Amino acid sequence: MMPDAEPLPLIERPRRLRRHPGLRGIARETHLSAANLIAPLFVKDIGAPEPIASMPGQQRLPIETLVEEARTLVELGVPGIALFPAIDDALKTPDASGALDPDGLYPRAIRAVKDAVPELLVITDTALDPYSSDGHDGLVADGQILNDETVALMQQIAVLHADCGADIIAPSDMMDGRVGAIRDALDTTGHTDTAILSYTAKYASAYYGPFRDALDSAPRKRAGIPADKKTYQMDPANSDEALRELRLDLEEGADLVMVKPAVPYLDVIHRVRAASDVPVAAYHVSGEYAMLHAAAQKGWLDLEATALEALIGIRRAGADAILTYFAKDAAQWLREADPGV
Ligand code: PBG
């Protein structure tokens, strides 16, 4: 039985704006489109695409398939990819020297994508972990991650990637001073228009697990090798420190800045957005992708709805661009929801 009720004497009824889809559209404060998304992709050297068990739907792609995927993404309106190389274990060394091979997998993949799909932005990573037999982003000596020696290598890697046509260099290693040093190296080699997307506030996060499966790049469990990345990646407890990293990156010439991971760090995205006069990116990382897939596989969550909710939440917090393994799916979902876009 419905209780009788006199109309409440309300002047404001926020629900009036939620009554009709058209009104909800007018009232919508934040928008998500394919143009906001960047797809991280994994490339491998030979053979067929290899599924990554902890990242359903993601694969290590041989260069040919990578190029096809790049074409599909452009057709869907996704402006760029962030490329990561899965290097054969036999080619990993303590000095990560494979990163400097101009005929290595990464340079070949960058050139192939830029040759075939020049309109797609290619973002490349300068960290050493794909090449390091220690599984660290920097050089390791006496159980320490060396800062300045690593930065000197990053400069060479950045120039190599720019020579291959990379549009944006993204140092994900968290060494101090790398943005300025890379800017300097790019400028003195004629790459004044190559942009730097700094991993400004990259946390020492447990959500990177599936990515490390994808590249087999977890810090190695050996004597003398630090078992985690806490001496260079940030403490999840801190956000003032993110603003300090932001100040340094902007002073050093970062063109775009990034917070990573995304959903557990929405407050950091918001603070960085407020303090930054350059575009802000957020990295919706492998573990954030894996957990939604895992729950969806169990029938506990709706994948499309929860993924799009995570992405709009990251936009609402202040991210202009989102690196996400959902990029292709989300672009497709958004197109189905609004074929005019
Ligand atoms: C390595 C790197 C990592 C990610 C991007 N670059 C892993 C790490 O720092 O250990 C993680 C991305 C993801 O989890 O999706 N420099």
Side-chain angles (χ1 to χ4, degrees), residues 185-207:
L186 291 172
D187 288 351
T188 53
T189 52
H191 297 297
T192 50
D193 284 339
T194 306
I196 299 176
L197 161 61
S198 179
Y199 283 70
T200 294
K202 177 174 178 181
Y203 287 87
S205 171
Y207 286 92

Side-chain angles (χ1 to χ4, degrees), residues 126-143:
T126 56
L128 304 183
D129 52 320
Y131 300 95
S132 158
S133 49
D134 298 327
H136 277 288
D137 294 13
L139 296 168
V140 184
D142 303 324

Side-chain angles (χ1 to χ4, degrees), residues 84 125 127 129 137 172 199 202 207-208 211-212 229 233 260 283 285-287 325:
F84 296 99
D125 200 287
D129 52 320
D137 294 13
S172 72
Y199 283 70
K202 177 174 178 181
Y207 286 92
Y208 306 150
F211 176 98
R212 295 176 187 172
K229 300 191 177 183
Q233 299 180 348
K260 172 185 179 185
Y283 200 144
V285 301
S286 57
Y325 303 96

Side-chain angles (χ1 to χ4, degrees), residues 2-335:
M2 190 113 49
D4 289 333
E6 290 293 312
L8 292 169
L10 299 181
I11 294 170
E12 298 198 48
R13 287 183 183 264
R15 285 187 56 193
R16 275 188 212 119
L17 291 177
R18 302 183 197 133
R19 185 181 62 82
H20 185 282
L23 272 175
R24 290 199 292 275
I26 289 168
R28 190 157 298 131
E29 299 171 34
T30 310
H31 297 272
L32 176 68
S33 88
N36 304 119
L37 305 176
I38 303 285
L41 295 177
F42 300 106
V43 64
K44 63 172 228 169
D45 216 349
I46 39 173
E50 268 168 14
I52 300 160
S54 50
M55 301 180 71
Q58 301 297 312
Q59 301 178 302
R60 299 178 199 91
L61 303 171
I63 291 178
E64 272 173 37
T65 322
L66 171 73
V67 167
E68 283 168 34
E69 188 73 0
R71 285 210 179 86
T72 308
L73 289 163
V74 163
E75 282 159 20
L76 284 166
V78 172
I81 61 172
L83 198 54
F84 296 99
I87 302 295
D88 200 88
D89 213 38
L91 299 175
K92 298 186 183 187
T93 56
D95 66 359
S97 55
L100 293 176
D101 177 0
D103 300 313
L105 167 63
Y106 209 177
R108 280 183 282 120
I110 299 165
R111 285 193 295 258
V113 174
K114 286 309 295 184
D115 278 353
V117 200
E119 63 273 40
L120 185 72
L121 291 169
V122 173
I123 302 174
T124 67
D125 200 287
T126 56
L128 304 183
D129 52 320
Y131 300 95
S132 158
S133 49
D134 298 327
H136 277 288
D137 294 13
L139 296 168
V140 184
D142 303 324
Q144 309 286 321
I145 314 301
L146 303 177
N147 194 87
D148 299 12
E149 293 80 353
T150 300
V151 170
L153 259 179
M154 305 274 146
Q155 291 180 296
Q156 296 178 50
I157 297 170
V159 171
L160 171 59
H161 291 180
D163 284 342
C164 294
D167 299 283
I168 302 178
I169 306 296
S172 72
D173 50 281
M174 291 302 279
M175 297 301 122
D176 293 332
R178 80 244 197 251
V179 171
I182 289 172
R183 184 71 271 156
D184 190 50
L186 291 172
D187 288 351
T188 53
T189 52
H191 297 297
T192 50
D193 284 339
T194 306
I196 299 176
L197 161 61
S198 179
Y199 283 70
T200 294
K202 177 174 178 181
Y203 287 87
S205 171
Y207 286 92
Y208 306 150
F211 176 98
R212 295 176 187 172
D213 292 345
L215 299 190
D216 189 21
S217 63
R220 299 297 157 97
K221 291 191 173 59
R222 274 204 302 273
I225 308 297
D228 58 49
K229 300 191 177 183
K230 290 179 185 170
T231 68
Y232 46 107
Q233 299 180 348
M234 281 177 51
D235 183 338
N238 297 351
S239 74
D240 288 346
E241 192 184 348
L243 298 187
R244 184 183 199 198
E245 290 283 3
L246 174 68
R247 172 173 57 77
L248 292 170
D249 283 355
L250 293 177
E251 282 169 9
E252 291 175 33
D255 300 283
L256 309 102
V257 295
M258 184 149 67
V259 175
K260 172 185 179 185
V263 175
Y265 297 88
L266 293 179
D267 59 320
V268 180
I269 297 173
H270 193 71
R271 290 190 73 184
V272 166
R273 165 75 284 161
S276 163
D277 57 3
V278 301
V280 175
Y283 200 144
H284 187 233
V285 301
S286 57
E288 299 181 77
Y289 176 83
M291 65 187 190
L292 294 186
H293 267 280
Q297 277 178 8
K298 284 188 168 281
W300 290 350
L301 288 176
D302 176 328
L303 186 67
E304 174 177 339
T306 52
L308 290 175
E309 188 175 331
L311 297 176
I312 201 75
I314 297 164
R315 290 273 297 133
R316 193 191 61 243
D320 301 292
I322 307 172
L323 279 73
T324 176
Y325 303 96
F326 285 113
K328 186 167 89 174
D329 287 343
Q332 265 154 356
W333 293 329
L334 293 168
R335 179 170 289 192

